[in-house]
Amino acid sequence: MNITIHVNPVAKPRMVNSDSWKKRPCVLKYWAYKDNLLLALTSDQREKLSKAEEFEKIEFYVAMPKSWSDRKKIQHLGRPHQQTPDLSNLLKALEDVVMTEDKQIWRIRDLGKWWSNDPRIEVVI
């Protein structure tokens, strides 16, 4: 099953106790991402993702900064994304949003992050 989720991937921040009242920008961005991700998924997709134990592929397509020149955007389009946020934090954010228990995952065959004009997450179960 192929699932494409049209949201800009966001990494899971390291939460601290003061986040409940201090509202750091990175935490607010993550909470908004969680809401948008859940809205972008159908109930059937959410159920399949939450019960999956093995994934063929999970790829994160990260939007290029608006401040970049058109030339720089063309150079990076489709290239590996090799800066923050790191891959493990992107994966952790996805797992925390769509899975009740992420301990059940025992294999992800192909995992990557790429620059894109169309930010999204592609999952193959």
Side-chain angles (χ1 to χ4, degrees), residues 13 15 19 22-35:
M15 301 286 198
D19 286 331
K22 199 169 183 180
K23 311 294 188 218
R24 292 182 302 150
C26 64
V27 175
L28 293 175
K29 185 176 177 181
Y30 172 69
W31 285 336
Y33 164 74
K34 285 177 64 172
D35 293 340

Side-chain angles (χ1 to χ4, degrees), residues 9-27:
V10 172
K12 178 162 174 104
R14 187 172 305 265
M15 301 286 198
V16 295
N17 286 337
S18 63
D19 286 331
S20 59
W21 70 85
K22 199 169 183 180
K23 311 294 188 218
R24 292 182 302 150
C26 64
V27 175

Side-chain angles (χ1 to χ4, degrees), residues 6-7 15-16 19 22 27 30 32-33 35 42 46 49 65 69 75 88 92 107 110 116 123:
H6 292 279
V7 295
M15 301 286 198
V16 295
D19 286 331
K22 199 169 183 180
V27 175
Y30 172 69
Y33 164 74
D35 293 340
T42 65
R46 219 177 310 168
L49 285 171
S69 67
Q75 289 174 338
S88 61
K92 186 65 180 161
R107 178 185 290 177
D110 188 10
S116 176
V123 180

Side-chain angles (χ1 to χ4, degrees), residues 71-97:
R71 182 177 180 204
K72 188 170 183 177
K73 288 179 182 179
I74 290 169
Q75 289 174 338
H76 283 81
L77 184 62
R79 305 276 321 240
H81 182 283
Q82 296 178 305
Q83 59 193 57
T84 58
D86 62 41
L87 187 57
S88 61
N89 288 341
L90 290 172
L91 179 61
K92 186 65 180 161
L94 179 65
E95 290 172 344
D96 286 351
V97 173

